[in-house]
Amino acid sequence: MKYLCDLLSIKYPIIQGGMGNISNAQLTAAVSNAGGLGTIGCGTMRPEQVEEIIVETKEKTSHSFALNIPINVSSYTKDLIQLVLKHDIPVVSLSAGNPAPYIKVLHEHGIKVIVVVASVKHAQKAEEAGADVLVAEGFEAAGINSNLELTTFTLIPQISRNVKVPVVAAGGIGDGRGLAAALALGASGVQLGTRLIATQEAPFHSAYKQRLINATDNETTILGRSVGQVRRVLKSSYASEVIESERNGIDLEKYQEMTSEKYHLKGAIQGDEDNGFMNSGQVAGLIETIPPVKDLFDSMMNEAAAQLEQQLNQFVMPSGT
């Protein structure tokens, strides 16, 4: 855990997940200012849009933050790499594609590279390619996900015993107990996405936050199995419309149109669940408050420490026995 924090120049072993086209400077800076690693997700945004967020983030924080580039999702990967170099961004997160062609040039400029993986095989390949940190994302996570459907609880211990670089757990984590569980399974830290939506600094529609507060344990659903591109979202009338289209034999092109960032923005930013969707992980059922990011992180660290100590004390044998 300490090695991860030193490596990424952060106080707490907590990383913000890339949020694609709803990424913003306000939340990214709040995460970094609170001691975590804020992350700007590039999604399908044009380089000039991403650059605006980078500049604004730098105005709001003097701490480290990262840029997440979804390699096969973005049409501008090479241009985004140049933005990283131009603005001296210290950490880059690579996902949704082969990171190998980009790691060398990033390392040549002293940039740390995080790679998001969803299997032991992917983790080993990323480590061989030079990844400094691996984010192992379970199927509980929000948004675009792996078709392998491996859960965080099974994924973390398998990956951590097969690689030497730090592993960060993602998917299903939203409090100190989740952090403690991830550390016990061999992770060096955690990545949060859904939990950060329900924070005071997150500039998303109040309806989105309230849906998370009201969520039960089965509030999310999976889209895209029929076309091999799965995504976890909150149940809604629009999500039901996508599912019904799948039942009627929707093709990949039409599915990608219906789940494009246009409809994500309608749900997350405009709060329109009839004409758009809201990404959410299964952790939604645990969310009950909308705190400042700093309070959330402080609470998570204190709760994790207390949880680990409590569990350890239950199994420590009294002296003299």
Side-chain angles (χ1 to χ4, degrees):
M1 183 170 68
K2 185 179 186 302
Y3 177 72
L4 176 72
C5 291
D6 291 344
L7 184 69
L8 302 179
S9 299
I10 54 180
K11 179 181 179 182
Y12 295 146
I14 303 174
I15 295 173
Q16 176 186 2
M19 294 180 175
N21 289 42
I22 66 169
S23 284
N24 56 85
Q26 185 172 325
L27 182 57
T28 301
V31 170
S32 292
N33 287 335
L37 182 70
T39 301
I40 299 169
C42 297
T44 59
M45 288 188 285
R46 299 186 305 277
E48 55 266 32
Q49 293 174 288
V50 176
E51 187 165 27
E52 287 181 7
I53 300 175
I54 292 171
V55 171
E56 186 181 353
T57 301
K58 283 190 164 187
E59 292 172 352
K60 294 178 180 296
T61 183
S62 59
H63 298 285
S64 295
F65 63 90
L67 197 71
N68 170 251
I69 303 174
I71 297 166
N72 291 335
V73 173
S74 174
S75 301
Y76 311 103
T77 297
K78 291 183 179 179
D79 293 328
L80 294 170
I81 295 291
Q82 290 306 309
L83 274 184
V84 170
L85 304 183
K86 175 181 177 180
H87 290 280
D88 297 318
I89 297 174
V91 184
V92 169
S93 167
L94 299 174
S95 58
N98 179 15
Y102 309 103
I103 292 178
K104 182 179 179 180
V105 65
L106 292 170
H107 278 173
E108 286 174 349
H109 289 81
I111 297 164
K112 303 301 180 186
V113 180
I114 299 171
V115 177
V116 181
V117 298
S119 72
V120 172
K121 180 180 179 181
H122 292 157
Q124 291 174 323
K125 284 189 173 182
E127 182 181 41
E128 289 172 6
D132 299 292
V133 177
L134 301 174
V135 170
E137 187 171 70
F139 191 58
E140 301 94 326
I144 298 173
N145 224 313
S146 168
N147 295 332
L148 299 175
E149 303 193 15
L150 295 171
T151 66
T152 304
F153 197 82
T154 56
L155 191 60
I156 297 304
Q158 292 184 69
I159 288 181
S160 61
R161 76 179 183 186
N162 281 285
V163 300
K164 293 183 174 63
V165 298
V167 176
V168 172
I173 301 161
D175 58 19
R177 294 172 299 170
L179 172 56
L183 297 176
L185 290 170
S188 296
V190 296
Q191 177 173 287
L192 305 182
T194 302
R195 186 61 188 92
L196 291 172
I197 298 296
T199 57
Q200 291 185 14
E201 295 90 343
F204 307 121
H205 200 280
S206 59
Y208 192 0
K209 297 184 182 185
Q210 196 59 47
R211 279 298 311 277
L212 295 176
I213 293 294
N214 296 339
T216 61
D217 58 346
N218 65 345
E219 201 76 13
T220 66
T221 189
I222 293 294
L223 309 178
R225 278 200 179 101
S226 67
V227 294
Q229 287 192 2
V230 300
R231 177 190 289 269
R232 188 177 294 281
V233 302
L234 287 170
K235 292 177 179 178
S236 67
S237 57
Y238 187 78
S240 296
E241 182 182 333
V242 176
I243 291 171
E244 184 60 27
S245 296
E246 289 190 68
R247 291 194 185 107
N248 293 331
I250 190 174
D251 61 20
L252 177 60
E253 183 177 359
K254 181 61 177 177
Y255 169 79
Q256 289 176 332
E257 177 188 337
M258 293 185 75
T259 57
S260 66
E261 290 297 334
K262 169 185 175 181
Y263 296 99
H264 187 198
L265 291 170
K266 284 186 177 182
I269 305 300
Q270 299 175 23
D272 185 354
E273 295 188 79
D274 293 326
N275 298 291
F277 62 90
M278 298 172 176
N279 286 336
S280 174
Q282 289 182 316
V283 74
L286 289 175
I287 299 174
E288 298 178 343
T289 61
I290 305 177
V293 174
K294 184 180 185 305
D295 289 358
L296 172 64
F297 287 3
D298 289 345
S299 172
M300 285 182 64
M301 294 302 295
N302 290 333
E303 185 180 27
Q307 188 74 19
L308 290 169
E309 183 178 6
Q310 177 184 348
Q311 296 300 318
L312 181 62
N313 287 341
Q314 289 182 14
F315 294 97
V316 174
M317 298 295 291
S319 59
T321 60

